[in-house]
Amino acid sequence: MNIYEAVSSRRAVRGFSNRPVSREVLERVLSAAAWAPSGSNIQPWTIYVVTGTPLTELKTRAVERVAHGDPWDERQFEMYPPAMTSPYAERRSAFGKERYSALGIARDDWEARQRAAIANWNCFGAPAALFCYIDRDLGRPQWADVGMYLQTVMLLLRAEGLHSCPQMAWSQVRETVAQTLSPPDRLILFCGMSIGYEDPMVSYTRTGRAPLDETVAFVGG
Ligand SMILES: Cc1cc2nc3c(=O)[nH]c(=O)nc-3n(C[C@H](O)[C@H](O)[C@H](O)COP(=O)(O)O)c2cc1C
């Protein structure tokens, strides 16, 4: 698979088969991803890979908690600004429309939306997940480094025939995750990532992107 194929075939997969992901493959991917760049090479990511019984138990606890309607954990970072301006508000709303219409859910059907959202904490059926933490003392450039690292992981997973879904949803139940992982206090959970082989029976709509001239300006030649 060339790099263009890896980039274009990576998408947020929300339906995985239960085919296990071998430790060997995960180690190969994460060893290669370590070559992602970071300012001053500080490599500001801390990753926990969870599979098997610990993941099954974590999913069960998280799903039960959300289904029960427990409040989210206190936020350590804002997922989005409280008032999203243009063009981001429109893009987010277009995404929501696409996602829920693909699932056959009406926009105002909150119960159905909640049921769909709960699949997040079951890792959409994936048999493996990683949890990505960043030190609370680090700043915005280091959060950007973490993003580059995660994209590197997701592209390498494609090279192994695997798919992924990055999930900030896990930060909403970070204390439940911490029960399994016991991370040091200085770490903030940025996101989880479901990892596995795609279930081809689960239908999806490919998300679109803004046209190039909306996000890129060429200056000069
Ligand atoms: C940092 C980050 C957090 C995300 N969190 C979630 C999430 O909690 N649940 C989910 O279903 N998708 C999540 N996504 C996936 C995005 O919705 C998805 O990447 C976006 O809509 C573009 O679609 P695509 O990745 O399929 O191309 C997240 C993506 C990123 C990069």
Side-chain angles (χ1 to χ4, degrees):
M1 176 179 291
N2 75 31
I3 190 75
Y4 282 90
E5 288 164 348
V7 170
S8 62
S9 66
R10 186 223 54 83
R11 57 191 170 78
V13 163
R14 299 186 179 89
F16 293 89
S17 79
N18 57 9
R19 178 178 162 195
V21 181
S22 79
R23 164 85 177 248
E24 190 196 344
V25 170
L26 291 171
E27 278 188 18
R28 191 159 55 231
V29 164
L30 294 168
S31 303
W35 291 100
S38 55
S40 295
N41 197 26
I42 71 163
Q43 302 157 69
W45 41 83
T46 301
I47 306 298
Y48 293 82
V49 181
V50 189
T51 54
T53 307
L55 183 60
T56 307
E57 288 175 359
L58 172 54
K59 288 178 189 176
T60 304
R61 279 205 312 276
V63 166
E64 274 173 8
R65 177 182 161 176
V66 177
H68 189 251
D70 286 3
W72 302 126
D73 292 324
E74 191 189 335
R75 295 244 30 107
Q76 294 177 303
F77 66 93
E78 288 308 323
M79 287 202 277
Y80 300 98
M84 198 107 85
T85 53
S86 184
Y88 315 111
E90 292 86 341
R91 290 182 192 156
R92 177 154 76 167
S93 140
F95 163 68
K97 225 179 260 169
E98 259 172 26
R99 171 134 169 69
Y100 292 112
S101 73
L103 292 169
I105 296 174
R107 209 119 165 85
D108 54 357
D109 188 346
W110 284 102
E111 220 171 273
R113 286 175 70 155
Q114 178 68 0
R115 268 200 309 277
I118 277 185
N120 265 291
W121 298 283
N122 188 38
C123 289
F124 304 106
L130 67 73
F131 293 88
C132 176
Y133 285 83
I134 181 165
D135 201 297
R136 66 176 72 245
D137 292 335
L138 295 176
R140 291 189 220 192
Q142 290 75 52
W143 283 69
D145 292 341
V146 168
M148 289 184 231
Y149 171 82
L150 291 171
Q151 170 74 336
T152 306
V153 170
M154 292 189 282
L155 296 181
L156 289 162
L157 288 169
R158 288 306 302 124
E160 299 285 352
L162 286 157
H163 273 287
S164 59
C165 184
Q167 296 166 272
M168 276 195 289
W170 279 104
S171 67
Q172 296 173 289
V173 296
R174 64 183 167 80
E175 284 177 12
T176 305
V177 180
Q179 280 171 18
T180 299
L181 305 180
S182 307
D185 271 353
R186 63 184 172 78
L187 295 182
I188 290 178
L189 177 60
F190 169 42
C191 67
M193 182 191 291
S194 299
I195 297 172
Y197 297 93
E198 184 180 11
D199 177 350
M201 303 309 284
V202 175
S203 64
Y204 67 90
T205 306
R206 188 71 176 95
T207 54
R209 291 297 189 267
L212 195 64
D213 63 3
E214 242 186 63
T215 55
V216 177
F218 290 91
V219 180

